Amino acid sequence: MKRLALASAFAALAWPAMAEDITIGFAIAKSGWMEAYDTPAATAAKIRIYEINANGGLLGRQIKWVEADTKTDRQQSAKAGLQVIDEGADMMIVSCDYDFGAPAALSAEAEGMVSFFLCAEDVKAGIQGVGPHSFSGSVLAAVQGATMAEWSHARRGARTGYVLLDTTIEYNKGICSGFDWMFPRIDGTEIVGRDTFKNDDASIASQITRIKALPDEPDVIMLCSYIPGAASAVRQIRAAGINSLILNGSAVDGSYWLDATPDLSGFAVPVQGSIYGDDPRPEVEAFNQSYEKATGARPASSYAYPGYVLLDLWAKAVERAGSLDGASVTAELERMQGEPTAFGPRTFTADLHHQNFAEMQIVEITNGKPAVADNWTISQPVPLDVLLK
């Protein structure tokens, strides 16, 4: 039903592009596990397209789109990128994750075309891994880890931390690198241990044994993972009687996985906006309602939001450049310093096409119910050398 509602809401926008239209190419996962991240963010981008078209379009032209399915496969990603270029794309939007979006983005880079990762949070999803015309609509994973380090100390008195890294994808490593950078910088804090696992590991019993062998239970466990591995790890940690405050990144935002961890408490994540109707900024709830109107349901996680942000920023840059030319649009994007968006200000520079500093809402789960508990902005941007580790 959700897919039918979405198709109905956007049917008029999905016609094949004509020469006078501006064409956006979505080379994204419409199948496979990445679809759960790509579809909401792509839907948000299409909502912004609809709004722009309803207000007269961009450069006096309507925006249309074409799509190709990467199938959550790196080889298919490269093919999808080439397909949307062949179908006339003027800019390209690629998958949320660097590993799966980069092959498509590299095909856009070869054409001198601007590309945006829907919600990738690894610094390589940009200049460092693709090239000078590549950007991300999201906030870096390292910022999320650093945010949780500083917030947990300031608000919860955390002095000892344990790092548990899921090494499956680069995003997870970014969360932990941000925590590793920020937490020891705070006076009186210490990382008392660290361990690794894989997302598809059925058991983390040995890792839990090592946590329980510590002289004292750590104040916080920085769990750097995504669903389903994160849910499994949380369930096992709590089943073992470990009551530390568990922290993670935005990838586990949403209540869709909480049936796997009944009555969970003491779990907190940073998000760009709240899907729960309690965000302090009215613009965020206005978007949630627009999303529900388009799809029949509210966003399942905050990963929808970067799609809206990237389309908004790209359109502003195109208007200011008066052109779709990749170099001209890139130059305008790099001039954005604290550019207002519905989800907070955004900045790009000639060295970094990501956000290494941003206000985050802190969502905490208590008795199985997630809600905004606080907001936090890290005291200083995460340096580029930390992002590149």
Side-chain angles (χ1 to χ4, degrees):
M1 292 298 293
K2 291 179 184 178
R3 289 184 182 275
L4 289 173
L6 179 60
S8 176
F10 292 132
L13 295 176
W15 298 331
M18 299 173 66
E20 65 269 27
D21 296 324
I22 293 172
T23 303
I24 293 176
F26 286 87
I28 60 172
K30 301 179 74 175
S31 56
W33 70 265
M34 276 298 301
E35 186 270 342
Y37 293 95
D38 285 7
T39 291
T43 299
K46 292 169 186 175
I47 288 172
R48 186 66 188 122
I49 291 172
Y50 177 84
E51 293 172 348
I52 292 169
N53 283 344
N55 283 288
L58 183 60
L59 301 180
R61 299 155 65 183
Q62 293 287 286
I63 304 173
K64 307 292 184 183
W65 69 78
V66 294
E67 295 181 293
D69 186 5
T70 69
K71 303 178 182 178
T72 313
D73 180 272
R74 291 172 176 84
Q75 290 185 338
Q76 291 297 324
S77 175
K79 292 178 182 178
L82 293 173
Q83 179 180 326
V84 298
I85 290 171
D86 288 344
E87 293 177 6
D90 295 300
M91 72 90 74
M92 191 183 299
I93 294 175
V94 305
S95 277
C96 269
D97 181 68
Y98 167 73
D99 300 273
F100 294 96
L106 285 165
S107 65
E109 191 64 37
E111 299 292 323
M113 180 188 298
V114 170
S115 67
F116 263 93
F117 287 79
L118 278 168
C119 51
E121 294 164 350
D122 180 339
V123 71
K124 293 190 292 299
I127 299 170
Q128 286 73 21
V130 176
H133 303 98
S134 180
F135 295 79
S136 176
S138 201
V139 175
L140 284 161
V143 175
Q144 299 168 32
T147 296
M148 298 316 289
E150 207 168 54
W151 173 82
S152 64
H153 171 74
R155 295 289 197 256
R156 299 301 167 86
R159 294 190 173 277
T160 58
Y162 194 94
V163 176
L164 185 55
L165 168 64
D166 169 359
T167 59
T168 308
I169 60 173
E170 293 299 312
Y171 164 80
N172 301 335
K173 299 171 188 176
I175 303 170
C176 277
S177 69
F179 186 88
D180 283 340
W181 169 71
M182 179 63 82
F183 198 69
R185 298 170 68 87
I186 303 167
D187 287 343
T189 61
E190 180 185 5
I191 294 175
V192 295
R194 61 182 65 248
D195 218 326
T196 63
F197 70 106
K198 291 284 189 181
N199 197 265
D200 59 359
D201 285 349
S203 171
I204 58 165
S206 58
Q207 292 89 335
I208 287 172
T209 297
R210 288 187 282 272
I211 295 172
K212 291 180 72 69
L214 293 169
D216 298 293
E217 188 173 274
D219 295 327
V220 295
I221 295 173
M222 184 70 246
L223 174 63
C224 307
S225 186
Y226 62 97
I227 304 300
S232 175
V234 170
R235 183 175 62 251
Q236 292 176 67
I237 288 168
R238 286 292 187 254
I242 298 170
N243 296 310
S244 306
L245 175 64
I246 303 174
L247 314 173
N248 208 321
S250 303
V252 294
D253 180 35
S255 59
Y256 60 93
W257 59 276
L258 293 179
D259 287 346
T261 55
D263 301 318
L264 176 65
S265 290
F267 184 91
V269 298
V271 297
Q272 295 173 58
S274 173
I275 63 174
Y276 306 107
D278 55 357
D279 196 288
R281 300 160 297 184
E283 299 90 345
V284 175
E285 183 55 24
F287 170 82
N288 291 336
Q289 293 176 17
S290 294
Y291 189 97
E292 184 174 16
K293 183 178 180 181
T295 68
R298 291 169 66 87
S301 85
S302 57
Y303 273 92
Y305 302 150
Y308 188 89
V309 170
L310 78 85
L311 209 293
D312 184 52
L313 295 174
W314 173 78
K316 288 179 180 178
V318 168
E319 287 284 6
R320 293 168 189 175
S323 169
L324 295 167
D325 173 69
S328 300
V329 174
T330 293
E332 290 299 333
L333 285 164
E334 290 177 348
R335 291 189 181 99
M336 292 180 174
Q337 301 292 307
E339 186 73 29
T341 80
F343 301 93
R346 297 292 183 259
T347 295
F348 296 118
T349 70
D351 297 318
L352 189 63
H353 289 176
H354 282 266
Q355 307 307 305
N356 65 342
F357 181 84
E359 177 184 335
M360 306 295 285
Q361 306 301 310
I362 309 299
V363 169
E364 184 167 5
I365 297 171
T366 304
N367 297 324
K369 297 187 180 302
V372 172
D374 206 346
N375 62 73
W376 194 263
T377 304
I378 52 177
S379 56
Q380 57 186 299
V382 181
L384 189 57
D385 63 334
V386 173
L387 297 174
L388 292 171
K389 283 184 178 178

